[in-house]
């Protein structure tokens, strides 16, 4: 298979088991799927079904018990922890339900950070432009505690997209927001993703959000439902 024909994401026989009081609990069981470059993919399922665990493993933030995750032709669990961190820095944007902004940095500094970590000399200008795109030009110097939930999530979106990553993962990005604010954030996320052409993997319990993606995978009790 040529480089251009390789899937953006290739997941094979992925299992995650953890010890509990009764012995061993299977969180994910033989998960397999692919996603192509530029595809939008929703992962849905009830609370506790394993969807957020799966997303964490796809990003290399958690490790599987067995199986492989290949991102852009790279087997991420053949890398050590530093190697996975480097891959995330260069290839991945991640949007969390709880925003995960650094509270001691203002909005501009939060968005500049991933660029600065890459040594980008235009970090400030790119971060300002990205915050303008998400409608926060007037809030550059505000710290997260002075921003609403919707504003914080827009800063998080700007931070995720500013490096133009080929992969974007979002874990319940509207879970901490009211319905109207959540709708605005989701609309913005899809607009940004169309512009950037990232491969988007979105974990959600909201089927109306999932319906906006090109494809939906359903997880039930750790099993992928066809």
């Amino acid at each position: 298979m040529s480089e251009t024909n390789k899937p953006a994401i290739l997941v094979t026989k992925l299992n995650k088991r953890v010890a509990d009081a009764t012995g061993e609990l299977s969180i994910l069981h033989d998960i397999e799927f692919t996603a192509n470059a530029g595809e939008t993919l929703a992962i849905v399922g009830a609370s506790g079904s394993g969807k957020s665990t799966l997303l964490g493993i796809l990003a290399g933030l958690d490790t599987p018990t067995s199986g492989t995750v290949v991102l852009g032709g790279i087997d991420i669990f053949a890398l050590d922890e530093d190697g996975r961190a480097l891959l995330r820095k260069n290839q991945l944007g991640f949007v969390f339900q709880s925003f995960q902004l650094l509270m001691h940095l203002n909005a501009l500094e939060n968005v500049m950070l991933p660029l600065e970590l890459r040594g980008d000399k235009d970090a400030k200008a790119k971060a300002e432009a990205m915050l303008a795109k998400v409608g926060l030009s007037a809030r550059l110097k505000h710290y997260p505690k002075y921003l609403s939930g919707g504003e914080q999530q827009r800063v998080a979106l700007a931070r995720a997209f500013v490096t133009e990553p080929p992969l974007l993962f979002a874990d319940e990005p509207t879970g901490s927001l009211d319905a109207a604010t959540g709708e605005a954030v989701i609309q913005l996320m899809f607009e940004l993703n169309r512009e950037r052409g990232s491969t988007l993997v979105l974990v959600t319990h909201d089927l109306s959000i999932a319906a906006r993606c090109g494809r939906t995978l359903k997880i039930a009790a750790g099993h992928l439902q066809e």
Side-chain angles (χ1 to χ4, degrees), residues 41-184:
L41 178 66
I43 300 175
V44 302
S47 179
S49 61
K51 58 188 187 297
S52 289
T53 298
L54 174 57
L55 196 66
I57 290 174
L58 294 182
L61 297 169
D62 193 3
T63 56
T65 305
S66 61
T68 59
V69 173
V70 178
L71 301 181
I74 299 170
D75 181 348
I76 67 171
F77 295 110
L79 304 173
D80 61 15
E81 203 165 310
D82 288 343
R84 290 195 295 275
L86 184 62
L87 181 140
R88 281 192 297 273
K89 184 173 77 170
N90 293 325
Q91 303 290 326
L92 247 174
F94 205 113
V95 182
F96 299 88
Q97 176 177 335
S98 55
F99 319 138
Q100 297 287 338
L101 300 179
L102 295 176
M103 303 304 286
H104 65 287
L105 300 181
N106 62 34
L108 179 61
E109 291 165 341
N110 264 284
V111 179
M112 285 174 62
L113 184 61
L115 293 167
E116 291 176 327
L117 290 172
R118 289 166 55 154
D120 193 320
K121 299 193 186 318
D122 296 323
K124 187 171 186 286
K126 288 179 179 178
E128 287 175 342
M130 198 69 220
L131 283 163
K133 192 171 280 289
V134 301
L136 292 177
S137 287
R139 311 290 272 172
L140 301 183
K141 301 297 185 183
H142 287 66
Y143 289 86
K145 68 179 179 180
Y146 299 115
L147 298 173
S148 69
E151 288 172 334
Q152 289 187 59
Q153 193 59 297
R154 282 190 278 158
V155 173
L157 282 178
R159 182 183 59 186
F161 278 103
V162 75
T163 59
E164 301 189 6
L167 296 167
L168 182 76
F169 295 160
D171 188 6
E172 298 280 11
T174 62
S176 299
L177 306 174
D178 63 74
T181 305
E183 168 61 27

